[in-house]
């Protein structure tokens, strides 16, 4: 033990200047959160809810996790920590007792300086206060923090939908016209007292939605929540809008789970339990009440939700749930809140030292019949008014192996199961393996789990990921995923087989110079375009991409360079290419609280399949990953200014200019005449 | 360092190449069929140089099944006899069923030179039953293997099966016998944990790339994980048990289209 203490004092002396400097201006918590999120989404084309992700982590900046008192559930909130690293942290505290300083983290197996730098804003060490101490009203008033956010977005070019007349004899044109103006605005109020009492209100109007008129009187979407943590026997109480996440997500996980990303080891979803909902996604949440009670080693959760959802109803049935939350045209507005959905669910989790068992059940009732227009690809989609889904999940640690999984079944007897294990035979090597099987008939409303496609059905696959740190400053990550479907899918008219590889090499030359190379290859089938055969003709498409990113800091400047190229073969051995490069420059003024981010980006993508997604810095709570193809350039300026202790503003202007002789951008109501698209965003934050 | 990165990139580009090896050679106990540099296992009809590393005489039996179809079983038997000068091996494998079957008989010799370099040669007699003539036809095929330990933790292996591309000609057809060249590496991160890679080229097929990890979790048990890429990406999972002189291996491969391949092997080591 003395030896350990000596080592950490020595390490403290050597590394503490680095860690202190790591807290400099460029590495703020907000920047870290955005960087982590970017890593997740870099290979994803799905729209992922950044607001929830940001909210979760920023809360830990204000209320850092005490490593000496923490639990697996709490550490799971940090997506940059793998399951193995979490186990190692807990094991270290268990074996050697409380950490004396934060620098002792360096002695924990599997945590390198990059991980520790990432953790620093979110964790603390110490004895900690009584987490269940009584809360008095005057404490709430005196120490509670209030925040108000006002956000405005506008596209400067007029889109086709705003030009259409609202009242004409042409019914089609009337139905298609945007009812409101092009301004997006939202208003958010947040209150929190430590992490014990959380309260919030959200109101939002999307661009094109009417604010005041015949359709709407005020904002198009409202949301409110209250969350109370650790009140007597109650671990959590939620009222209003909330989310419920349990197990591996086969039964219940309305928010995004872990998927394939360059964090190759993080394949299990995190953040289980009931929690407030404060985002502006208008579908993926529950509205009602729920509570979690702790009884010894058992956690019991129950909730009830009753809310209106969107759908195109006709004679007591509707063909699908409309999830976009956009109500800009009369046609879209007619779908708003037409179906009542009630959800009742619960979970029981038993946690012991080395294992955990959980059971989740959810029952959904619709007041109209969900009746999809039948086609081959959606033959097995859910049809009816009521559905019950239940699942059993587990986690088990045996020697160095961590087993995890969940098996779930819907009322029609269809099965989904996901099982895997991770282990770290040496501190510098970590491996994870995961197998999943989702039958074609398995279909439930709020499932999100590890899979190739966004729907949790009709898939079987095996994933193998490994992370190796063979030398100082180097990290190699790789995964391989092989999967198949048993039934046609949308855009693929036959059962198919696909595979996906990723390899990434990260190198930290110095504390302020980091870079990585990322190679990805994916082969998946698609319908052959232009095929006139009666029989389905599915061909394998191949996409290869290579990305290099360099990040370096110099004084108050930070720079990021990225270059990416891809090749795509649509099954006819004709390769199309895409090339993209950008330069980011950020500057934080040392004497005034002002920060500027600027980017110039060039792209040349032959085809839609060569398209690029790249993360952009944005105003607070916003996260942009715009998509583009063709030939052109994009540039933006992002400004953040703290007016005083109470007020901060963000402003962003971004423009994309196409140089491939196109005369209009986008299509339908979103069509813009010309070759330029300009967006402006503004956000005001008031803390009191 | 640049060489290392270039090496990794090369491996992954190779992954993208399609390949398929069709032969009756029994799979090795090395997961993902990464036997060519596996210094701890001699698998019949794989790298004969590994016979040189065998410390004690041993006998083993093995059953491979493809896609849960009993007609696609391969049954094998192997025997190794160790001496101070050279190790000798006998092996036999049978694939198929009464109306169609193929067999190989092997006689091999190998030696380990100063624990750095091993070399082996195997003489295989391939025999196949042709129902059209109701007769067996056969051919003699050589097989050679090498293994070099570049440092205490890293070694490379090479082997070639039927390098002269010998085939069998009947009145009606030419029966082609696989001709395979394999190159692989083995790296010990620690005595308990190792990483292997392998690249195979069957002369008329594309490349196959495989990678695997072996982890000796406890003295009696190890787990094996691997993956190989050919026309399809095939994940592999296995477990190995050892209790005294007895050893057992169970490997599974999940072909995304065709299903499960399984291999069960039992081995007994004789005392000195």
């Amino acid at each position: 033990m003395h030896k350990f203490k000596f080592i950490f004092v020595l390490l403290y002396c050597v590394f503490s200047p680095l860690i202190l400097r790591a807290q400099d201006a460029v590495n703020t918590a907000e920047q870290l959160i955005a960087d982590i999120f970017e890593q997740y989404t870099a290979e994803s084309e799905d729209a992922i809810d950044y607001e929830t992700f940001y909210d979760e982590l920023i809360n830990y900046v204000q209320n850092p996790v005490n490593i000496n008192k923490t639990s697996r559930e709490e550490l799971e909130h940090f997506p940059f920590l793998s399951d193995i690293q979490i186990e190692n942290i807990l094991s270290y505290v268990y074996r050697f007792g409380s950490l004396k300083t934060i620098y002792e983290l360096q002695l924990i197996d599997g945590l390198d300086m990059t991980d520790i730098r990432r953790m620093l804003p979110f964790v603390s060490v110490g004895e900690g206060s009584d987490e269940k101490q009584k809360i008095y009203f005057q404490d709430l008033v005196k120490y509670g923090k209030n925040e108000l956010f006002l956000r405005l977005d506008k596209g400067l070019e007029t889109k086709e939908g705003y030009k259409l007349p609202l009242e004409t004899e042409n019914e089609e044109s009337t139905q298609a016209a945007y009812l409101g103006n092009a301004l997006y605005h939202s208003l958010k109020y947040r209150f929190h007292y430590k992490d014990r009492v959380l309260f919030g209100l959200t109101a939002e109007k999307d661009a094109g939605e009417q604010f005041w008129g015949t359709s709407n009187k005020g904002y198009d979407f409202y949301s409110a929540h209250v969350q109370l943590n650790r009140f007597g026997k109650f671990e959590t109480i939620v009222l209003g809008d909330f989310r419920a996440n349990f197990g591996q997500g086969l039964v219940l996980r309305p928010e995004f789970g872990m998927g394939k990303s360059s964090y190759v080891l993080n394949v299990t979803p995190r953040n289980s339990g009931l929690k407030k909902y404060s985002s502006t996604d208008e579908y993926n949440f529950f509205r009602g009440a729920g509570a979690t009670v702790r009884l010894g080693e058992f956690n019991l959760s129950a909730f009830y939700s009753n809310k209106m959802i969107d759908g195109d109803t006709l004679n007591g049935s509707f063909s699908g749930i409309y999830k976009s939350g956009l109500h800009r045209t009369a046609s879209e507005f007619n779908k708003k809140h037409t179906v009542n959905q009630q959800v009742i669910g619960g979970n029981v989790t038993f946690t012991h030292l080395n294992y955990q068992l959980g059971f989740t059940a959810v029952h959904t009732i619709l007041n109209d019949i969900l009746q999809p227009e039948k086609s081959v690809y959606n033959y097995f989609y859910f049809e009816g008014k009521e559905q019950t889904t239940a699942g059993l999940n587990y986690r088990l640690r045996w020697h160095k192996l961590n087993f995890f999984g969940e098996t779930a079944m819907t009322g029609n007897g269809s099965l989904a199961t996901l099982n895997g294990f991770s282990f770290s035979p040496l501190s510098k090597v970590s491996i994870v393996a995961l197998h999943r099987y989702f039958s074609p008939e398995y279909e439930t409303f709020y499932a999100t789990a590890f899979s190739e496609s966004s729907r949790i059905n009709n898939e079987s696959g095996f994933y193998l990921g490994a992370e190796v740190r063979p030398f100082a400053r180097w990290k190699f990550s790789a995964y391989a995923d092989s999967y198949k479907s048993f039934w046609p899918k949308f855009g693929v008219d036959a059962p198919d087989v696909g595979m996906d590889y990723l390899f990434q090499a990260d190198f930290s030359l110095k504390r302020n110079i980091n870079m990585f190379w990322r190679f990805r290859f994916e082969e998946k089938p698609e319908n052959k375009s232009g095929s006139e055969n009666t029989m389905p003709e599915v061909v394998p498409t191949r996409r290869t991409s290579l990305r290099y990113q360099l990040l370096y800091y110099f004084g108050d400047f930070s720079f990021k360079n990225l270059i990416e190229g891809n090749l795509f073969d649509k099954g006819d051995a004709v390769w199309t290419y895409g090339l993209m490069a950008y330069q980011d420059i950020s500057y934080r003024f040392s004497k005034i609280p002002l920060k500027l981010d600027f980017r110039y980006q060039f792209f040349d993508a032959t085809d839609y399949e060569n398209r690029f997604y790249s993360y952009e810095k944005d105003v607070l709570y916003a996260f942009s990953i715009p998509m583009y193809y063709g030939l052109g350039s994009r540039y933006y300026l992002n400004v953040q200014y703290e007016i005083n202790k109470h007020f901060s503003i963000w402003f962003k202007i971004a423009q994309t200019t196409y140089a491939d002789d196109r005369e209009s951008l986008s299509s339908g109501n979103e069509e813009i005449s010309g070759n330029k698209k300009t967006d402006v965003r503004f956000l005001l934050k008031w803390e009191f | 360092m640049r060489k290392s990165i270039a090496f990794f990139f090369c491996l992954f580009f190779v992954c993208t190449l399609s390949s398929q090896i069709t032969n009756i050679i029994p799979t090795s106990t090395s997961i993902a069929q990464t036997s060519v540099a596996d210094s701890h296992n001699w698998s019949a009809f794989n790298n004969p140089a590994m016979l040189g590393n065998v410390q004690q005489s041993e006998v083993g039996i093995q059953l491979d099944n493809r896609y849960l179809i009993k007609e696609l079983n391969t049954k094998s038997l192997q025997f190794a006899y160790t001496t101070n000068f050279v190790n000798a091996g006998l092996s036999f494998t049978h694939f198929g069923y009464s109306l169609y079957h193929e067999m190989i008989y092997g006689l091999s010799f190998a030696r380990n030179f100063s624990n750095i370099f091993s070399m082996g040669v195997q003489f295989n007699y391939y025999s196949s039953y042709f129902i059209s003539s109701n007769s067996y036809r056969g051919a003699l095929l050589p097989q050679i293997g090498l293994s070099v330990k570049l440092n205490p933790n890293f070694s490379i292996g090479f082997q070639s099966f039927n390098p002269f591309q010998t085939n069998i000609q009947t009145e009606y057809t030419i029966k082609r016998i696989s001709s395979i060249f394999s190159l692989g590496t083995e790296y010990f991160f620690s005595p308990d944990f190792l990483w292997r890679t392998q690249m195979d080229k069957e002369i008329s097929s594309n490349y196959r790339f495989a990678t695997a990890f072996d982890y000796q979790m406890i003295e009696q048990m190890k787990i094996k994980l691997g993956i190989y890429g050919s026309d399809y990406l095939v994940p592999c999972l296995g477990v190995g048990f050892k209790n005294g002189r007895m050893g057992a291996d169970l490997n599974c491969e999940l072909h995304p289209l065709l299903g499960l391949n399984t291999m069960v092997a039992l081995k007994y080591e004789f005392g000195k």
Side-chain angles (χ1 to χ4, degrees), chain A residues 279-428:
Chain A
S279 184
T280 49
D281 181 328
E282 295 181 29
Y283 173 72
N284 273 311
F285 64 94
F286 298 120
R287 181 162 283 175
T292 301
V293 181
R294 173 161 290 196
L295 296 171
E297 290 176 314
F298 285 91
N299 263 12
L300 272 72
S301 303
F303 68 88
Y304 171 73
S305 165
N306 188 330
K307 68 169 185 174
M308 300 300 291
I309 57 173
D310 298 353
D312 204 355
T313 52
L314 183 70
N315 299 329
S317 69
F318 64 109
S319 59
I321 299 171
Y322 180 67
K323 297 178 182 174
S324 77
L326 297 171
H327 308 111
R328 301 163 299 184
T329 64
S331 158
E332 287 174 352
F333 193 80
N334 288 339
K335 295 176 188 167
K336 186 180 174 182
H337 294 177
T338 49
V339 180
N340 178 262
Q341 184 194 48
Q342 294 183 76
V343 183
I344 185 162
N347 170 271
V348 183
T349 299
F350 174 76
T351 307
H352 198 65
L353 199 61
N354 286 327
Y355 63 92
Q356 186 181 68
L357 269 176
F359 175 76
T360 310
V362 63
H363 184 68
T364 307
I365 305 166
L366 304 167
N367 70 334
D368 284 335
I369 299 170
L370 177 57
Q371 206 164 36
E373 286 170 21
K374 284 294 178 191
S375 182
V376 175
Y377 78 88
N378 67 4
Y379 183 78
F380 291 111
Y381 283 15
F382 171 72
E383 199 175 326
K385 285 176 87 166
E386 292 191 29
Q387 189 194 49
T388 305
T389 310
L392 197 65
N393 63 281
Y394 67 90
R395 186 186 289 281
L396 167 70
R397 185 176 169 87
W398 182 59
H399 289 270
K400 286 187 173 180
L401 295 175
N402 297 299
F403 294 91
F404 56 86
E406 183 170 21
T407 300
M409 198 175 263
T410 52
N412 62 358
S414 54
L415 185 84
T417 183
L418 181 151
N419 300 280
F421 64 91
S422 61
F423 66 107
S424 186
L426 305 166
S427 60
K428 56 189 175 184

Side-chain angles (χ1 to χ4, degrees), chain A residues 496-553:
Chain A
D496 64 63
V497 174
M499 56 185 160
D500 187 2
Y501 310 95
L502 180 138
F503 173 75
Q504 180 165 315
D506 287 85
F507 177 56
S508 300
L509 181 64
K510 292 179 180 175
R511 187 193 60 83
N512 58 346
I513 304 177
N514 302 297
M515 62 191 82
F516 72 74
W517 296 260
R518 181 184 298 157
F519 168 75
R520 189 176 180 200
F521 173 79
E522 186 171 24
E523 181 178 306
K524 61 179 176 187
E526 275 182 21
N527 286 341
K528 190 174 182 180
S529 58
S531 170
E532 293 174 358
N533 283 353
T534 314
M535 290 298 288
E537 202 172 351
V538 174
V539 290
T541 63
R542 295 179 187 91
R543 192 175 198 273
T544 307
S545 64
L546 189 61
R547 171 182 283 205
Y548 170 71
Q549 180 180 296
L550 173 65
L551 185 67
Y552 49 106
Y553 308 115

Side-chain angles (χ1 to χ4, degrees), chain A residues 377-658:
Chain A
Y377 78 88
N378 67 4
Y379 183 78
F380 291 111
Y381 283 15
F382 171 72
E383 199 175 326
K385 285 176 87 166
E386 292 191 29
Q387 189 194 49
T388 305
T389 310
L392 197 65
N393 63 281
Y394 67 90
R395 186 186 289 281
L396 167 70
R397 185 176 169 87
W398 182 59
H399 289 270
K400 286 187 173 180
L401 295 175
N402 297 299
F403 294 91
F404 56 86
E406 183 170 21
T407 300
M409 198 175 263
T410 52
N412 62 358
S414 54
L415 185 84
T417 183
L418 181 151
N419 300 280
F421 64 91
S422 61
F423 66 107
S424 186
L426 305 166
S427 60
K428 56 189 175 184
V429 181
S430 303
I431 294 170
V432 63
L434 182 149
H435 177 262
R436 75 267 188 194
Y437 166 81
F438 312 138
S439 83
E441 299 90 345
Y442 187 83
E443 166 96 314
T444 189
F445 287 95
Y446 288 104
T448 309
F450 186 97
S451 78
E452 168 61 21
S453 56
S454 54
R455 297 190 89 94
I456 306 303
N457 68 352
N458 189 23
E459 183 174 312
S460 170
F462 190 93
Y463 171 95
L464 185 64
E467 197 177 275
V468 183
R469 299 165 200 255
F471 330 104
R473 298 186 290 185
W474 280 93
K475 184 176 88 173
F476 299 104
S477 316
Y479 74 67
D481 186 37
S482 166
Y483 54 88
K484 71 169 175 180
S485 68
F486 312 93
W487 187 259
K489 292 190 291 194
F490 183 74
V492 188
D493 289 344
D496 64 63
V497 174
M499 56 185 160
D500 187 2
Y501 310 95
L502 180 138
F503 173 75
Q504 180 165 315
D506 287 85
F507 177 56
S508 300
L509 181 64
K510 292 179 180 175
R511 187 193 60 83
N512 58 346
I513 304 177
N514 302 297
M515 62 191 82
F516 72 74
W517 296 260
R518 181 184 298 157
F519 168 75
R520 189 176 180 200
F521 173 79
E522 186 171 24
E523 181 178 306
K524 61 179 176 187
E526 275 182 21
N527 286 341
K528 190 174 182 180
S529 58
S531 170
E532 293 174 358
N533 283 353
T534 314
M535 290 298 288
E537 202 172 351
V538 174
V539 290
T541 63
R542 295 179 187 91
R543 192 175 198 273
T544 307
S545 64
L546 189 61
R547 171 182 283 205
Y548 170 71
Q549 180 180 296
L550 173 65
L551 185 67
Y552 49 106
Y553 308 115
F554 181 74
D556 292 325
F557 279 98
S558 74
F559 302 89
K560 184 154 92 173
N561 298 72
L562 184 140
I563 183 162
E564 182 172 352
N566 66 51
L567 290 168
F568 183 82
D569 166 26
K570 205 170 181 177
D572 49 10
V574 178
W575 292 85
T576 54
Y577 73 90
L579 267 175
M580 183 263 279
Y582 67 66
Q583 172 72 59
D584 272 0
I585 303 173
S586 297
Y587 184 71
R588 184 181 283 270
F589 288 83
S590 51
K591 297 203 172 147
I592 51 171
L594 176 67
K595 190 185 172 204
L596 304 175
D597 303 301
F598 173 76
R599 170 180 293 178
Y600 178 78
Q601 178 168 2
F602 158 83
F603 56 90
D604 179 6
T606 326
D607 219 337
Y608 176 75
E609 282 76 11
N610 301 101
R611 66 194 177 276
F612 291 101
Y613 293 86
S614 66
Y615 151 76
E616 285 183 0
K617 287 192 176 145
D618 216 313
V619 303
L620 189 68
Y621 279 112
F623 195 85
S624 300
I625 314 178
M627 181 273 286
Y628 24 74
Y629 70 96
L631 178 65
S633 57
R634 181 171 169 85
Y635 26 87
Y636 71 78
L637 177 69
N638 197 32
V639 182
Q640 180 186 345
Y641 182 60
E642 287 177 38
I643 300 167
N644 57 38
K645 199 177 149 191
H646 299 292
F647 289 95
S648 305
I649 54 168
W650 282 258
F651 174 77
K652 180 183 176 183
I653 181 161
Q655 186 173 63
T656 310
T657 305
Y658 289 89

Side-chain angles (χ1 to χ4, degrees), chain B residues 59-163:
Chain B
V59 63
I61 54 167
Q62 183 174 318
L63 174 70
D64 293 34
N65 175 264
R66 294 182 199 182
Y67 322 124
L68 304 175
I69 298 169
K70 70 176 185 336
E71 285 78 10
L72 298 183
N73 279 346
T74 303
K75 289 144 275 187
S76 321
L77 182 69
Q78 67 181 69
F79 171 70
Y81 181 73
T82 57
T83 69
N84 290 334
F85 179 66
V86 70
N87 291 349
L90 276 174
S91 40
F92 168 74
T93 184
H94 175 279
F95 167 78
Y97 52 102
S98 59
L99 294 179
Y100 179 82
H101 48 270
E102 299 175 58
M103 292 168 289
I104 315 178
Y105 306 85
L107 172 65
S108 46
F109 301 97
R111 178 165 177 179
N112 183 328
F113 298 90
S114 310
N115 210 21
I116 291 173
F117 172 66
S118 297
M119 192 167 73
V121 62
Q122 183 159 329
F123 303 97
N124 296 310
Y125 181 74
Y126 172 90
S127 167
S128 182
Y129 175 69
F130 291 85
I131 194 167
S132 53
S133 57
N134 190 24
S135 63
Y136 287 91
R137 296 289 176 90
L140 193 66
L141 320 168
Q143 183 176 7
I144 55 164
L146 301 168
S147 168
V148 182
K149 193 174 267 192
L150 296 178
N151 71 39
N153 294 327
F154 184 69
S155 59
I156 58 173
F158 168 80
Q159 75 102 21
S160 174
F161 179 89
N162 188 18

